Amino acid sequence: MVAFSSLVGDSIILIASVRYNAIRLNKFIVAVMQHIAVGDLLQAVSCVLPTMISLIADEWILGCVPGYILACVNSISFPASSVFMCILTVSKLILLKCPQRTRLLTQKKC
């Protein structure tokens, strides 16, 4: 259920923001949200689904090479998601605390 909701929710966020331009926020915040959604999709595919498969089979059936690949992907995607969440929080704080100084975040330079 978690994997399904993650896949559906992140796909909706990406489709709505890229194809239909439906999210009307600061462009920088939308870009960070897109990166978070991509990282969450990567985590759902590389962590939740293989774990669910191995729990159903009661053993690791995917082999050694996919296990190493998934370990490398997870070691990159978890810290990246944490960094993007921090960037999103700090950018919202900056937009609230100093709205006059954040013109660079609202222009096409981001």
Side-chain angles (χ1 to χ4, degrees):
M1 188 69 173
V2 173
F4 179 73
S5 64
S6 176
L7 293 173
V8 170
D10 292 330
S11 299
I12 289 173
I13 288 172
L14 288 174
I15 291 170
S17 65
V18 173
R19 187 169 187 191
Y20 297 111
N21 201 13
I23 301 176
R24 306 266 184 220
L25 291 173
N26 187 327
K27 290 182 181 182
F28 181 77
I29 291 176
V30 172
V32 172
M33 285 174 49
Q34 290 171 349
H35 283 81
I36 291 171
V38 169
D40 193 28
L41 281 172
L42 185 63
Q43 287 178 3
V45 170
S46 69
C47 184
V48 175
L49 291 177
T51 303
M52 190 168 49
I53 291 170
S54 65
L55 286 175
I56 290 171
D58 201 25
E59 64 180 334
W60 184 259
I61 60 171
L62 298 177
C64 290
V65 175
Y68 292 127
I69 292 171
L70 293 176
C72 291
V73 168
N74 289 336
S75 68
I76 294 170
S77 66
F78 286 126
S81 290
S82 300
V83 168
F84 281 122
M85 291 300 284
C86 292
I87 290 171
L88 182 66
T89 305
V90 169
S91 65
K92 285 183 178 182
L93 178 69
I94 290 172
L95 285 172
L96 288 174
K97 293 287 277 184
C98 308
Q100 298 298 324
R101 294 185 183 181
T102 57
R103 290 186 207 156
L104 294 177
L105 291 177
T106 58
Q107 293 177 352
K108 291 184 177 181
K109 292 182 181 180
C110 65

